[in-house]
Amino acid sequence: MLRSKVADVGYTKMLERFARECPKNQFLREFVKNGVQAIQRHIIDSGDKKFKGLIEVDVNWYYHELAGLSKICFTDNGIGMTGEEMIKYVNDLSSSSEAIADSENYGFGAKVAAAIMNKLGIQYEAWKDGKGHMVKFYYDEKE
């Protein structure tokens, strides 16, 4: 697992302010939109116009069986990310894509909408080129 820590009081205060302005179910839209973007990137990169994208929203049954936690899980069959890409996008509060725009800036909303209310954090898992990667984004009230 790759680790990266953002230790910036301004970043934390901005996250808190934006989170207060999000509807409680905003994270649902944001994570589904991230999946749509990953599928679109897969189609563009592969040139496969017949590719059928899939987004699944379910309980993470592994954690449920392991610890009795009912954590929501968003899964898609999009382009995937390397560990380094995951750290870049998770640490970059402003964007989940190469362009920062109203129509593409969804990674911001997912982190903001989910981080403050989920004290256990957000675990991102991705596969790219046959290799699995994971990073965890969490909100630490003390830091």
Side-chain angles (χ1 to χ4, degrees):
M1 177 173 65
L2 297 171
R3 294 185 182 271
S4 178
K5 183 176 179 182
V6 177
D8 182 338
V9 174
Y11 184 94
T12 301
K13 294 300 178 193
M14 183 171 59
L15 183 66
E16 290 171 345
R17 185 176 62 98
F18 286 134
R20 284 192 301 268
E21 297 173 10
C22 286
K24 293 226 183 263
N25 63 354
Q26 180 74 23
F27 73 96
L28 296 169
R29 176 195 183 276
E30 302 299 336
F31 281 113
V32 169
K33 184 62 181 176
N34 287 348
V36 169
Q37 288 180 332
I39 291 165
Q40 289 170 333
R41 286 185 217 146
H42 175 84
I43 292 168
I44 290 168
D45 286 2
S46 70
D48 182 0
K49 302 289 185 203
K50 294 182 182 183
F51 178 79
K52 291 204 179 252
L54 172 69
I55 298 173
E56 182 178 285
V57 181
D58 199 356
V59 170
N60 183 322
W61 292 108
Y62 173 77
Y63 282 106
H64 184 72
E65 290 174 16
L66 183 68
L69 297 173
S70 294
K71 291 181 66 73
I72 194 167
C73 179
F74 297 84
T75 306
D76 65 73
N77 63 343
I79 193 168
M81 289 186 279
T82 65
E84 290 77 19
E85 288 171 325
M86 291 172 71
I87 286 175
K88 175 185 172 193
Y89 293 131
V90 168
N91 280 344
D92 185 357
L93 186 60
S94 66
S95 179
S96 66
S97 66
E98 294 174 6
I100 299 175
D102 289 340
S103 63
E104 296 187 43
N105 196 17
Y106 289 95
F108 172 78
K111 289 175 278 197
V112 167
I116 301 296
M117 66 182 196
N118 186 352
K119 301 302 181 194
L120 296 177
I122 305 165
Q123 183 169 307
Y124 293 88
E125 298 175 7
W127 286 259
K128 191 163 191 176
D129 301 326
K131 294 180 183 174
H133 309 277
M134 181 183 80
V135 297
K136 189 167 186 178
F137 177 84
Y138 67 97
Y139 175 72
D140 184 338
E141 293 178 21
K142 296 177 182 96
E143 295 184 29

